[in-house]
Amino acid sequence: MATHTSSDVIVAGGGPAGLSAGLALAHAGLSVTVVDPARDPSQDRRTSALMVASVTMLEELGVWGICGHASAPLERMRIIDDTGRLFRSPSVEFAAGEIGEPAFGWNIPNAELVAALRQRIGETAGARTIAASIGHVDLDEDAATVTLTTGESVSAPLLVAADGRNSMCRAAAGIGVDDWSYDQAAIVLDLEHERPHGNVSTEFHRPSGPFTLVPLPGNRSSLVWVETPKMADALSTFDDEALAEEIMRLSHRILGKVRITGPRGLYPLSGLVARRFAAKRVALVGEAGHVVPPIGAQGLNLGLRDAASIAEIAADAVHAGEDPGGKRCCGDYDRARRIDVVSRAGAIDLLNRTLLADLLPAQMMRAAGLSALGSIGPLRRIAMREGVSPGYRLPRLMRRQESALLRGT
Ligand SMILES: Cc1cc2nc3c(=O)[nH]c(=O)nc-3n(C[C@H](O)[C@H](O)[C@H](O)COP(=O)(O)OP(=O)(O)OC[C@H]3O[C@@H](n4cnc5c(N)ncnc54)[C@H](O)[C@@H]3O)c2cc1C
């Protein structure tokens, strides 16, 4: 006979955003069921540059202690205009030391992060995972109920939809999206190199998109190389030696001789912003609510802020005897996430489009903007602070002082 269980919250999807939400909710004292088919995490070839607030949250949840060794600090970030166009900006370099921080963030392979999150969920009281897919979602006045492909069903007053960009939970809640695609694809791979990276992340802005080298521990880096889909297809026919030659040419050999290690990943680029971030007992977390191109390392940092935010709102409601999936909590979550998501998705889209645009005014605007960021001291510091710790109210789990107080240190 098919079983039926319940918990305070169901999390649909166990990618990095969903697992973080599940762990944050359990950490706040709620009972949580995470449902995900639990595919092999090593299939994800990406790394994520996680900013200080995200790492603070992962430390507090006991995740960073497991996987932090696989990350490298990003002490400096460099943007080099390699468009070869008439209006080019000077190279811009930011150092975390200028704002009194040891690093802007840390770069970690997604596979290591997901494995550590899964381990912590397994060790945490109040959290359980079910290795299955959700086949059907029912939303009514009192509860959200998901029926799994195994026939089992689970109910809860709140359903966190972290089931990725094609979210079926988002569709079940009737939440529409604005979505678009770019004529771009990202090639992702890991490299070993002759020269040390010095914990500097270097983003070359090329006419087809950014070409970004991000440090990993030792003389290793991850590369995110944005190209036209046609060029990406052509490059996929190159063997590792030929592709490494091309990487050395495009990176102006700043890392000396390079060697490709491991398989490559290919990600067509697109954008998506949900029209609401919560409705009908469903709160959107991670790519279910927003997808942005890989410029300025924003995607998962936004997803982790979603996770910390819904955990705070839902836990405060449950502890006050209120409904965590009710209209008030859905409204609070929608307001809490709207400005952050919409402003960042807009800024990344603008930067990407001015990079691709052949129009002189767009090139001038981009060059002037980057040049101002590079040369005007206060503007530089505001931009750097914003990257490390966004200026609006961060959820408690991401605030360093409060996290230290929670730990009693
Ligand atoms: C090239 C590239 C580089 C990037 N670099 C960075 C970076 O440096 N920094 C950064 O912050 N971000 C970065 N990002 C963004 C980041 O990778 C994503 O934001 C993040 O991986 C999305 O995680 P997620 O958990 O929201 O979604 P996903 O990882 O897509 O997880 C969704 C999960 O839901 C599950 N699921 C789907 N349907 C169902 C169902 N019906 N039932 C149950 N489970 C279901 C899936 O199996 C999956 O496990 C990058 C992205 C790209 C493309």
Side-chain angles (χ1 to χ4, degrees):
M1 207 180 77
T3 54
H4 179 88
T5 51
S6 62
S7 54
D8 290 327
V9 187
I10 301 163
V11 178
L19 289 168
S20 302
L23 203 48
L25 285 153
H27 180 79
L30 306 195
S31 62
V32 186
T33 305
V34 180
V35 184
D36 186 88
R39 297 199 181 90
D40 175 5
S42 68
Q43 297 304 312
D44 190 341
R45 306 302 312 160
R46 291 170 293 185
T47 65
S48 289
L50 297 180
M51 299 303 149
V52 170
S54 300
V55 173
T56 300
M57 169 182 177
L58 294 169
E59 274 174 347
E60 185 55 33
L61 295 175
V63 177
W64 203 248
I66 302 170
C67 62
H69 66 89
S71 73
L74 308 176
E75 292 170 7
R76 284 190 290 151
M77 297 175 109
R78 183 162 54 191
I79 300 174
I80 297 172
D81 188 329
D82 209 9
T83 56
R85 287 175 175 150
L86 186 57
F87 289 100
R88 264 177 287 168
S89 68
S91 294
V92 183
E93 189 164 321
F94 302 102
E98 286 180 58
I99 51 166
E101 296 285 346
F104 291 113
W106 282 261
N107 186 40
I108 184 158
N110 285 11
E112 298 274 355
L113 175 62
V114 165
L117 283 161
R118 282 186 186 169
Q119 181 183 328
R120 275 305 285 155
I121 290 250
E123 296 165 354
T124 303
R128 67 167 177 151
T129 49
I130 302 179
S133 283
I134 294 170
H136 186 74
V137 180
D138 263 321
L139 304 171
D140 64 32
E141 277 296 296
D142 306 312
T145 303
V146 296
T147 307
L148 315 187
T149 42
T150 54
E152 196 178 339
S153 61
V154 189
S155 295
L158 173 65
L159 170 60
V160 168
D163 49 345
R165 57 184 68 196
N166 300 315
S167 170
M168 75 176 297
C169 299
R170 182 184 68 215
I175 300 176
V177 299
D178 293 311
D179 56 352
W180 59 95
S181 59
Y182 298 95
D183 193 27
Q184 290 169 302
I187 303 157
V188 177
L189 48 84
D190 289 350
L191 296 169
E192 263 175 14
H193 36 82
E194 190 183 15
R195 293 194 199 129
H197 47 56
N199 297 332
V200 183
S201 158
T202 306
E203 190 162 305
F204 292 94
H205 283 185
R206 303 180 58 251
S208 48
F211 174 101
T212 311
L213 291 158
V214 196
L216 284 169
N219 275 10
R220 295 189 305 123
S221 292
S222 57
L223 171 67
V224 179
W225 176 359
V226 177
E227 268 299 348
T228 60
K230 204 170 153 199
M231 187 55 150
D233 278 347
L235 290 167
S236 69
T237 64
F238 284 33
D239 64 20
D240 279 359
E241 284 70 33
L243 197 62
E245 277 300 327
E246 190 59 6
I247 291 167
M248 284 188 276
R249 188 179 72 80
L250 295 179
S251 62
H252 304 272
R253 293 183 178 262
I254 57 169
L255 296 174
K257 198 166 169 48
V258 306
R259 188 173 75 82
I260 295 172
T261 56
R264 313 164 188 177
L266 186 68
Y267 297 85
L269 299 196
S270 59
L272 175 151
V273 176
R275 299 211 181 107
R276 287 182 63 81
F277 296 98
K280 294 187 185 165
R281 304 200 165 276
V282 176
L284 309 184
V285 162
E287 290 201 337
H290 44 78
V291 178
V292 295
I295 299 180
Q298 294 293 321
L300 185 54
N301 285 287
L302 278 172
L304 295 183
R305 294 207 283 279
D306 300 339
S309 179
I310 193 61
E312 184 171 307
I313 290 170
D316 286 352
V318 170
H319 298 319
E322 288 177 27
D323 178 357
K327 282 208 171 89
R328 194 187 62 74
C329 282
C330 283
D332 285 355
Y333 180 68
D334 185 56
R335 278 187 296 280
R337 298 306 301 137
R338 179 161 299 280
I339 293 177
D340 189 20
V341 172
V342 172
S343 64
R344 273 164 213 271
I348 296 165
D349 181 57
L350 185 69
L351 187 59
N352 193 27
R353 287 187 197 278
T354 56
L355 198 57
L356 298 178
D358 274 330
L359 300 170
L360 280 186
Q363 291 172 25
M364 282 168 73
M365 189 173 88
R366 198 181 130 269
L370 282 175
S371 166
L373 266 187
S375 58
I376 304 172
L379 196 59
R380 275 174 75 82
R381 282 187 287 278
I382 290 170
M384 286 189 274
R385 273 262 153 251
E386 185 60 22
V388 168
S389 173
Y392 62 89
R393 186 189 166 280
L394 274 175
R396 291 194 288 270
L397 203 48
M398 298 188 132
R399 290 185 235 155
R400 264 179 294 186
Q401 270 171 344
E402 291 192 31
S403 287
L405 279 176
L406 285 170
R407 278 197 304 273
T409 54

